[in-house]
Amino acid sequence: MNDVRELLDRAAGGAGKPAFSAAAVYAKAARIRRRRRAAASAAVLAVVAAGAFTLPRTGGDEDPAHASVASAGPSASPTDPAPDRAERLAALLPGDVGEIEEVSLAVLIKNATPEQARTTYLGPLDGHFAFRKGGGVGYLVLALEDREAVVKKTGRPADPDEDLCVRVGQEPARTDCVREVLPDGRVLTTWRDTMDVEGDDSVGWGPELVGRLRQEDGSQFLLRSSTGFEGTGTQGPLLSEPPLSRQQMKELLTGPEVLPKG
C-alpha cells in the first residue's frame, strides 16, 4: 500500500494545490465495499422476510497524451520514430490487454490542470496509463526512483537483500507476495493489495497487483497494475482483474525499454 501512496504523492506533488494525503485518495474503497455489503445484506433479509428469496508529464515538454491506442502485440516495433509513450507501451504488451491511453491521475482525481500536474520522471515509460477493456477501465502506474530519491524518502538506498514479503507487525499485510532474485542480482517482489483501507475521500480504488524491482545501485522501480477506481474522476467501471498479470509485470519491469538511455 505504501508503494501506491508513494506513486500518487509523486504524481500530485506538483499540482500547485494544498498538499493532500494519498491515503485519503484511496480511502473510500473500504467504505464503498462496506456499503455494498450492507446493502446486499439488507436486500437478502428483506427478501427472506417476504418468503422469497474508482500526472503528469513523464519526460519531455509535452502534456500527457490522451489518444487511445490498441495494443499491437509483440510484433510491433518499440523503436518507431518518436512514438508516444502509450504506443511504445502497447508495442511491448500482448494484444488482448485492451486500448491504452496515457493519463494523469492528478488531473482525473484532483482536478489539477495539465500544467499543475507536470512531473519529471526518470524512465522513458514512466507515467500513468489507462487500460480500456470489456467496458471497464484499469490503470498502470510506473515510476523509476534513483538512489538519491530512495535515500531521501527512506533514509537508505534500496536494498535487494531485504525481504519485502516479511512485514512482522505491519499493516496491511502483503498477500500472495512473491520475491524473486533475478540472474543479474536485482530482486523483484510482487504482491496483491485489496486496497481495503479506511479514510475519507470521494475515490475508492479496486484491487491491484503491486511490484517493486530493487536494483544493486540502490535505485528501484515501482509498478502498480490496478483494476481502477470509483468516484470522482472515474472513467468507467472496474476491471475484473488487474490490466497486467504478474508475469506481464515482470517482463515489462525487467526489459530494457523501461531503462533510461545511458
Side-chain angles (χ1 to χ4, degrees):
M1 183 62 187
N2 288 336
D3 299 285
V4 177
R5 291 172 180 165
E6 290 164 7
L7 291 174
L8 243 199
D9 283 337
R10 186 169 185 173
K17 295 186 176 184
F20 70 96
S21 167
V25 173
Y26 295 118
K28 198 179 180 183
R31 295 191 296 141
I32 289 176
R33 293 188 182 94
R34 285 197 301 272
R35 284 200 300 270
R36 286 176 176 170
R37 288 194 293 266
S41 298
V44 170
L45 289 173
V47 172
V48 170
F53 194 79
T54 230
L55 281 299
R57 187 180 67 184
T58 55
D61 297 324
E62 69 277 17
D63 287 339
H66 289 278
S68 296
V69 294
S71 174
S75 62
S77 172
T79 58
D80 290 339
D84 69 21
R85 280 175 291 275
E87 290 175 342
R88 282 182 280 154
L89 180 61
L92 300 174
L93 300 175
D96 61 357
V97 298
E99 292 189 341
I100 304 174
E101 174 190 8
E102 187 176 0
V103 298
S104 166
L105 292 176
V107 171
L108 292 176
I109 297 173
K110 303 306 294 182
N111 292 319
T113 67
E115 289 294 327
Q116 290 172 327
R118 284 178 183 265
T119 300
T120 299
Y121 286 117
L122 298 178
L125 290 181
D126 287 5
H128 305 173
F129 302 90
F131 281 63
R132 302 178 184 278
K133 181 179 179 181
V137 183
Y139 296 88
L140 188 77
V141 180
L142 174 65
L144 170 62
E145 296 181 333
D146 60 17
R147 179 189 178 96
E148 181 180 357
V150 177
V151 170
K152 183 177 181 180
K153 180 176 64 178
T154 66
R156 57 190 176 89
D159 181 6
D161 292 330
E162 180 183 4
D163 189 347
L164 299 178
C165 291
V166 178
R167 290 170 60 83
V168 178
Q170 298 184 54
E171 293 294 340
R174 290 172 175 163
T175 62
D176 195 14
C177 188
V178 177
R179 181 179 186 271
E180 182 178 0
V181 180
L182 305 178
D184 59 9
R186 296 183 295 172
V187 176
L188 174 64
T189 306
T190 56
W191 62 89
R192 293 187 180 276
D193 192 330
T194 63
M195 300 302 290
D196 193 8
V197 295
E198 297 290 343
D200 183 19
D201 208 295
S202 57
V203 171
W205 285 87
E208 59 187 44
L209 283 170
V210 183
R212 184 184 293 187
L213 178 64
R214 294 194 156 191
Q215 308 190 102
E216 292 189 311
D217 64 357
S219 64
Q220 65 182 5
F221 278 99
L222 302 177
L223 177 66
R224 53 182 290 227
S225 177
S226 169
T227 54
F229 66 91
E230 299 169 311
T232 300
T234 184
Q235 294 183 300
L238 303 181
L239 296 178
S240 59
E241 295 291 336
L244 294 191
S245 68
R246 194 186 301 265
Q247 181 61 32
Q248 290 167 341
M249 289 171 60
K250 175 183 176 180
E251 292 174 359
L252 177 63
L253 280 176
T254 58
E257 296 85 1
V258 299
L259 295 172
K261 293 181 179 180

